């Protein structure tokens, strides 16, 4: 590693893991799988998911629509942000052929009808407010129509929609399958109260991955809970299920290698931080798996606990951890931070002149996986990352 001067943090891409997650959802989810583009809009991720069977994309802005349309002209898109600009609705409909739109109030429905010339071929998805109590990242409070007003909106949307769906988002990094079944039961009651049929039940994102101290139940348990809750729902006989995973499809597929630029006692100053891919390490106080990358594994000493500082001048750019690393770790050593494929580089800014990345492709196993239980033991600190990077 030391022989190759690398100024920027290095993103390690793992195409095999990306494909595996995509195939797992395609094979095991009993419905359509939409990838939530915001989790990681990198070209290699978009292309890799598509090659591995994910051909349906959840987009939230005009630039995400343009990205998917340009790279994957055959892909389907659903514009599921509940609050959209008028221009983006118009362009989505007329320029990019998008027909699927979310609404969570009458005003947004009126906006979509006006901007599409009262289109008769819309799929309208009514976003319901649901509880975020089982997720580590709440998405409640901003979007979704409350239960008392939902039946009215469902009924109104039915009158304007070619196809009607209901959707919700139970929050990100959901740890309990019952969060999905509970939300589906609530949705079913609202559909019954509206007295109309529904063609699509969209259970949203929220599927988890494994972070230190956060090991969710197996992914199959989430799918089983959704399948069981779908059966008794009061919907159309031919109603379909959708889900919109972001995190779960991509988290394992990228890690970031950062360089230690200075050590002060047990504080390490590294060239990656909260304005880069480690936003959640600060703002959600999450710990990410970490290991040292060293030229010579014989260097291995005992472990000690460290906190990390990122490269910007802002004192909020600090990751308290604690992170276990070799006690003799020093300036010029590298650390690999895992599980950064989702909401990692996609949140990086250019603040203070940082935020540039180099990319390499690696083939090693992830430090933990929701899709292959044989790798669920954390990697040993001090392990080599791969031949390509060390070259
Ligand atoms: C962010 C988002 C997702 C993806 O959520 P994850 O927790 O990453 O799976 C899916 N749908 C919508 C509407 C979102 O905003």
């Amino acid at each position: 590693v030391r022989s190759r001067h690398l100024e920027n943090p290095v993103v390690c891409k793992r195409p095999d893991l990306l494909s595996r997650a995509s195939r797992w959802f395609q094979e095991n989810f009993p419905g359509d799988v939409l990838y939530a583009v915001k989790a990681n809009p990198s070209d290699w991720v978009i292309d890799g998911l598509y090659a591995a069977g994910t051909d349906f994309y959840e987009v939230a802005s005009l630039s995400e629509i343009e990205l998917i349309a340009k790279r994957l002209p055959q892909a389907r898109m659903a514009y599921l942000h509940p609050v959209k600009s008028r221009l983006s609705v118009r362009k989505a409909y007329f320029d990019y052929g998008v027909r699927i739109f979310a609404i969570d109030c009458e005003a947004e429905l009126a906006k979509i009808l006006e901007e599409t010339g009262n289109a008769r071929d819309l799929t309208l998805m009514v976003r319901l407010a649901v509880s975020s109590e089982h997720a580590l990242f709440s998405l409640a409070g901003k979007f979704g129509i409350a239960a008392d007003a939902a039946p009215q909106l469902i009924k109104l949307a039915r009158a304007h929609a070619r196809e009607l769906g209901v959707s919700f988002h139970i929050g990100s990094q959901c740890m309990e399958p019952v969060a999905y079944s509970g939300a589906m039961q609530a949705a079913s009651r609202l559909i019954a109260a509206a007295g109309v049929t529904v063609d699509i039940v969209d259970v949203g994102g929220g599927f988890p991955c494994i972070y230190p101290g956060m090991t969710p139940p197996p992914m199959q348990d989430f799918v089983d809970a959704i399948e069981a809750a779908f059966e008794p729902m009061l919907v159309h006989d031919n109603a379909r299920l959708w889900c919109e995973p972001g995190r779960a499809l991509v988290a394992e597929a990228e890690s970031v290698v950062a360089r230690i630029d200075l050590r002060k006692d047990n504080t390490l100053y590294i060239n990656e931080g909260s304005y880069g891919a480690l936003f959640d390490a600060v703002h959600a106080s999450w710990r990410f798996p970490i290991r040292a990358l060293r030229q010579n594994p014989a260097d291995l000493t005992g472990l000690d606990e460290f906190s990390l500082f990122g490269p910007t001048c802002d004192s909020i750019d600090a990751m308290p951890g604690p992170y276990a690393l070799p006690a003799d770790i020093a300036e010029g050593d590298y650390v690999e931070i895992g599980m950064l494929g989702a909401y990692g580089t996609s949140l990086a800014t250019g603040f203070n002149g940082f935020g540039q990345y180099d990319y390499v492709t690696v083939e090693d196993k992830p430090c933990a996986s929701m899709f292959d239980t044989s790798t669920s033991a954390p990697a040993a600190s001090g392990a080599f990352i791969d031949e390509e990077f060390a070259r």
Side-chain angles (χ1 to χ4, degrees), residues 158 164-166 184 187-189 191-192 196-202 229-241:
R158 176 80 274 176
L164 176 65
V166 292
M184 291 169 80
S188 194
R189 288 192 291 272
I191 294 164
V196 299
T197 58
V198 157
D199 309 294
I200 300 153
V201 175
D202 176 358
F230 187 50
E231 174 64 27
M233 278 187 82
L234 302 165
V235 290
H236 198 277
D237 279 348
N238 300 318
R240 286 118 59 205
L241 263 179

Side-chain angles (χ1 to χ4, degrees), residues 34-39 58-60 80-82 102 127 137 139 143 167-174 180 202-208 243-250 342-343:
L34 290 73
Y35 171 55
V37 172
K38 74 170 186 290
E58 189 272 323
V59 288
L80 297 185
H81 195 305
R127 170 90 170 250
F137 230 102
L139 291 175
F143 300 127
S167 75
F168 51 79
H169 202 303
I170 45 84
S172 204
Q173 184 67 9
C174 174
Y180 289 95
D202 176 358
V203 301
F207 299 90
C243 68
E244 308 164 21
R247 183 186 306 282
L249 281 174
V250 297
Y343 310 111

Side-chain angles (χ1 to χ4, degrees), residues 34-48:
L34 290 73
Y35 171 55
V37 172
K38 74 170 186 290
N40 188 331
S42 306
D43 290 348
W44 86 270
V45 166
I46 300 292
D47 294 353

